[in-house]
Amino acid sequence: MSQEKITIKNKNGQGTILSAIINFPGGFDQNRKYPAVVVSHPGGGVKEQTAGLYAKKLAEQGLITIAYDASYQGESTGEPRQLENPYIRTEDVSAVIDYLTTLPYVDPEKIGAMGICAGAGYTANAAINDHRIKAVGMVSAVNIGSMFRNGWENTVKDADALPYLLAGSNARTADAESTDLQTIPLAPEKEEDAPNEELREAWEYYHTDRCQYPTAPGFATTRSLSQIISYDAYNKAEAFFTQPLLAIVGSAAGSAWMSDDLIERAASADKIKYIVEGANHMSLYDRENYVNEAAGQLISFFHEKLG
């Protein structure tokens, strides 16, 4: 396997340049046509973390893969930094597909997409809108709107999230008069801030030597709440999500309900939930035994569905 760092001009109206890494399978022949998979990172993450790990594993088994930094994040361009606008993040997936269709060695009829955590939710939303995506893989999927509205374990009513929506609007007002933008954590910033063990691992992943990375601060602009709270990554899945779906979840994942939600709602007749025994949400990011099991399922799935 080999890889190359590239940039992708996002033509979706935001004017950002995406920083990405394209991975080529061993024995790559530019005169052949390959299936390709776009890999989207979690909220607060970057391409060098779990998205890059899965992208490498899929490329080692014959797939061209691209892991990229979302607009306004990582090494991609855009201001304000750390904007987590879910509509833009969904469009980023399609921007990478735009790029893939220009490559002579990629079969445009064999493009798949996958993501981890919020990246999986954004991938699902992109697939609803963009049927150039022929197959969808999800690992520890999070519908970021549902998570912020309803809590990690789906215990909060939608209407009770109104204060967060108002906080986003108030932050926009405050930001209009300041260059020091308000922020919110996407992972606990301190170990003692974590409400449970699973989210303590999120702190550990993003803020310790486990997998911290200089371009992944683990927070977002507070103004992002004005888009996140009302967002549904699975909007109109009942009508338009017709592609094959593989949702991989840990048996101990508090977030599993968000994978179940898409499996129930998607119009697709080809949808599978695969449970990794013993894994929680975060352990599927980087724990070798769990990642290898999940990657094995994804590799088989994409080869079968993309051909």
Side-chain angles (χ1 to χ4, degrees), residues 110-193:
K110 295 182 178 181
I111 295 175
M114 66 159 287
I116 305 95
C117 189
Y122 297 135
T123 298
N125 199 342
I128 290 167
N129 302 324
D130 189 343
H131 281 247
R132 294 176 300 175
I133 299 172
K134 303 304 182 185
V136 175
M138 307 197 306
V139 176
S140 294
V142 160
N143 178 343
I144 197 168
S146 293
M147 186 192 74
F148 270 87
R149 285 191 302 274
N150 307 125
W152 188 250
E153 296 180 338
N154 197 22
T155 56
V156 181
K157 295 179 181 179
D158 281 0
D160 292 336
L162 180 60
Y164 293 103
L165 191 64
L166 298 175
S169 298
N170 291 338
R172 293 180 69 136
T173 298
D175 290 350
E177 297 184 352
S178 174
T179 57
D180 187 16
L181 304 189
Q182 296 181 16
T183 63
I184 53 170
L186 288 176
E189 293 182 345
K190 300 177 181 177
E191 185 173 14
E192 57 267 28
D193 294 339

